[in-house]
Amino acid sequence: MKLLITDLDNTLYDWVTYFANSFRAMVKDMAVTLGFDEEKLLDEFKVVHQHHGNSEYPFAVFELPSVRERFPDASRAELLDQLKSPLEAFRSARAKHLQLYPGVLETLQAIRREGVSIVAHTEAVAVHAYYRLLRLELVEYFNHIYALDLYLEPHPNPSRAAELTPPPGLIKLIPKVERKPNPDLLHDICRREGVEPSDACYVGDSLTRDVAMAKAAGVTAVWARYGRNYDRTLWEAIVRVTHWTDEDVAREAELARLFADVQPDHTIDRFEDLLPILDVRWEKSASRTGVAAPN
């Protein structure tokens, strides 16, 4: 294999657990510190998320009717100060729950040492994908990040917005109309990376989106089965405020029907299980710099 294409959410880290806990912490803090009704807040978040076509819109909180009614003339910078407590609750929960799955760092280091290129492909918005990899100290291992082309308002703090700006050339945008499991997405990535599909491997946690797409594209398909191991009540908390429309739900049901019998080329229960698939040696003593520690 010459190229590893990896999904991010629930493949390198548990996105469901991180986001659901962080979001719930923020909403509960808003209910307590500002005296808002929690269920009403959730209803308002859902409307804002559907308006933007994205459930992970950090400053959706600025657009909630309850917030605008309480602070009718506040600027985004002023709202950042007024909502300091709930936003800090989100950040605190994020620091606790946004963690790499075991073995991810060492595996990426081993793959790079063997000369295999690594790129990310995600339906997350580019700024979010970059931020998570930055926070998890993984940016250096990726040639490119292929992410969703969707504009979001920048961070209201200009210095913070500058910190979150990816280096030139790292991000490759994918039009939001081109969605998994379209195999042309992988053909395009392989073409841009100068690799034939038969020399590429795709790993992701979704059978209907990731595995089905890779199989259709002629790319080695690896199912990260461990990415399904999360508390289902946390997923329900995300669905409660999802941006999905009725059409989106119908599409997911149709994908599940179409790809009910799809079979991955390989199934892994730990990220490091990729190594023999890629014919890469495992060095468990790998350090953060990618150099094996002395024995």
Side-chain angles (χ1 to χ4, degrees):
M1 294 294 173
K2 298 178 180 177
L3 175 67
L4 172 64
I5 309 169
T6 179
D7 179 46
L8 297 180
D9 298 347
N10 282 74
T11 298
L12 302 186
Y13 46 82
D14 186 345
W15 179 87
V16 171
T17 299
Y18 133 67
F19 186 72
N21 279 298
S22 301
F23 188 85
R24 290 200 307 190
M26 177 177 65
V27 172
K28 288 183 180 299
D29 189 279
M30 290 182 71
V32 172
T33 60
L34 297 173
F36 291 153
D37 179 79
E38 196 168 325
E39 289 301 313
K40 183 181 179 183
L41 286 174
L42 295 175
D43 289 338
E44 292 179 0
F45 268 112
K46 185 178 181 71
V47 172
V48 174
H49 290 164
Q50 289 193 336
H51 173 72
H52 290 284
N54 195 287
S55 298
E56 194 177 6
Y57 184 48
F59 296 108
V61 65
F62 291 173
E63 301 179 23
L64 300 181
S66 293
V67 170
R68 297 311 311 184
E69 183 178 346
R70 178 70 62 86
F71 309 107
D73 301 317
S75 65
R76 295 180 81 244
E78 290 168 336
L79 287 174
L80 185 65
D81 184 62
Q82 294 288 354
L83 300 173
K84 183 183 301 183
S85 180
L87 291 174
E88 178 54 38
F90 183 99
R91 288 191 290 267
S92 179
R94 178 179 61 197
K96 178 180 178 180
H97 294 287
L98 180 57
Q99 304 291 334
L100 292 174
Y101 286 121
V104 167
L105 172 64
E106 296 89 344
T107 300
L108 292 176
Q109 290 174 340
I111 292 170
R112 286 301 296 266
R113 276 197 304 270
E114 293 294 321
V116 178
S117 297
I118 307 173
V119 300
H121 173 225
T122 178
E123 289 193 331
V125 178
V127 66
H128 296 157
Y130 173 68
Y131 173 77
R132 285 195 280 276
L133 293 180
L134 182 68
R135 186 177 183 87
L136 294 167
E137 300 183 46
L138 293 184
V139 172
E140 65 184 287
Y141 301 104
F142 290 88
N143 291 16
H144 298 110
I145 301 169
Y146 291 85
L148 189 64
D149 184 7
L150 183 65
Y151 175 77
L152 296 178
E153 288 286 339
H155 197 287
N157 183 330
S159 62
R160 187 68 175 136
E163 291 175 15
L164 298 176
T165 301
L170 177 65
I171 302 294
K172 302 295 182 183
L173 295 177
I174 298 172
K176 61 181 180 180
V177 295
E178 295 186 17
R179 303 167 62 184
K180 299 177 182 181
N182 181 0
D184 290 340
L185 287 171
L186 295 190
H187 291 153
D188 184 43
I189 290 174
C190 288
R191 178 186 57 80
R192 294 198 206 186
E193 300 299 324
V195 172
E196 292 295 323
S198 58
D199 291 326
C201 175
Y202 191 100
V203 57
D205 66 295
S206 172
L207 285 170
T208 57
R209 290 172 170 269
D210 300 321
V211 170
M213 176 175 63
K215 296 283 284 187
V219 170
T220 297
V222 180
W223 180 35
R225 179 164 53 190
Y226 59 85
R228 303 285 90 189
N229 298 332
Y230 51 77
D231 184 341
R232 296 295 150 174
T233 62
L234 295 178
W235 177 248
E236 291 167 5
I238 293 173
V239 171
R240 174 69 174 83
V241 294
T242 185
H243 66 282
W244 283 3
T245 62
D246 291 342
E247 291 77 12
D248 293 324
V249 173
R251 178 176 183 269
E252 290 300 308
E254 179 63 9
L255 289 176
R257 184 189 68 81
L258 288 173
F259 301 116
D261 298 323
V262 68
Q263 294 295 320
D265 296 308
H266 304 275
T267 297
I268 60 175
D269 290 306
R270 301 173 302 174
F271 194 73
E272 64 202 58
D273 292 342
L274 275 175
L275 296 177
I277 298 170
L278 299 172
D279 193 24
V280 170
R281 292 176 294 110
W282 168 251
E283 295 184 41
K284 198 173 180 82
S285 58
S287 68
R288 171 63 67 177
T289 62
V291 179
N295 294 325

